[in-house]
Amino acid sequence: MPKKGFILFLIFPVLCHANNVHMISASAVEQDSTVGYSLGYTGINNGRYITTLGYKHFSEDDWNSSAYSLGINRALDSVYTGSFYMGIGFADVRVASRQNIGGSQNLKIFVEATDQRGFARLGYSKLSGVGIDYDYSLVSMDGKTTLGALWRGAISNSNFGWLLGVDSNSDVDTVSAGISAIF
């Protein structure tokens, strides 16, 4: 936990600058027929520096998984009007399973695995809160590339909006739908 707190401390100035766009989101996520949820934050500083924080959670029967991610990206032009960007990030993934092995003493086994990985991201994004916003990305982690697309639109010219997203790589396909707020 101290590492996560230190990383948040380092990016805190990016989150507080007055010329920013901030977006928070909550989505239902389906990943290979398992349903979960995700929470996210995207902050844009001066149209060029993009900070992302994310959390995903899935559970089914006797197992659950959660993933935290932090990304720092740099756009070539203003993301408010649309720009290519590149960045790096860090993900912390945890999977836990509880199995009942039965017997006369009703024994249970609990197994937990944790993996921490770095990733690189390339993409093209527009995020301004006006019209349809979008983010198309390629994320490379551990030799696998994930193609992703995310669209956002305002609801009745307010700061609230809808989100639709898809991600795909050779192992997993993900579809998400949710709500967002820009401030």
Side-chain angles (χ1 to χ4, degrees), residues 126-153:
K126 175 200 164 280
L127 181 60
S128 65
V130 177
I132 301 294
D133 292 320
Y134 49 84
D135 181 36
Y136 303 106
S137 64
L138 295 168
V139 177
S140 178
M141 181 185 302
D142 288 342
K144 291 187 181 179
T145 301
T146 301
L147 302 170
L150 178 70
W151 300 275
R152 182 204 183 270

Side-chain angles (χ1 to χ4, degrees), residues 114-179:
T114 301
D115 192 11
Q116 298 167 343
R117 303 173 183 178
F119 60 87
R121 179 187 303 248
L122 294 173
Y124 188 86
S125 183
K126 175 200 164 280
L127 181 60
S128 65
V130 177
I132 301 294
D133 292 320
Y134 49 84
D135 181 36
Y136 303 106
S137 64
L138 295 168
V139 177
S140 178
M141 181 185 302
D142 288 342
K144 291 187 181 179
T145 301
T146 301
L147 302 170
L150 178 70
W151 300 275
R152 182 204 183 270
I155 298 174
S156 300
N157 295 324
S158 70
N159 289 343
F160 295 98
W162 53 266
L163 289 173
L164 293 174
V166 292
D167 291 327
S168 182
N169 66 28
S170 60
D171 294 333
V172 179
D173 295 321
T174 305
V175 177
S176 62
I179 58 172

Side-chain angles (χ1 to χ4, degrees), residues 72-92:
I72 308 244
N73 306 280
R74 170 72 160 92
L76 301 177
D77 291 316
S78 175
V79 176
Y80 302 143
T81 57
S83 176
F84 286 99
Y85 67 88
M86 60 187 136
I88 57 171
F90 173 79
D92 181 40

Side-chain angles (χ1 to χ4, degrees), residues 56 93 100 106 116 135 146:
K56 282 186 182 179
V93 180
N100 187 0
N106 199 17
Q116 298 167 343
D135 181 36
T146 301

Side-chain angles (χ1 to χ4, degrees), residues 11 14-15 20-26 39-45 49-54 69-71 73 79-80 85 121 125-128 133-135 150 152 163 180-183:
I11 65 169
V14 172
L15 303 176
N20 279 359
V21 169
H22 303 276
M23 182 179 77
I24 56 173
S25 62
L39 303 172
Y41 167 82
T42 301
I44 301 173
N45 185 1
Y49 302 97
I50 308 163
T51 304
T52 59
L53 301 170
S69 65
L70 166 68
N73 306 280
V79 176
Y80 302 143
Y85 67 88
R121 179 187 303 248
S125 183
K126 175 200 164 280
L127 181 60
S128 65
D133 292 320
Y134 49 84
D135 181 36
L150 178 70
R152 182 204 183 270
L163 289 173
S180 66
I182 286 184
F183 54 96

Side-chain angles (χ1 to χ4, degrees), residues 2-13:
K3 275 196 256 183
K4 291 176 189 170
F6 181 70
I7 290 170
L8 289 175
F9 177 74
L10 289 176
I11 65 169
F12 187 72

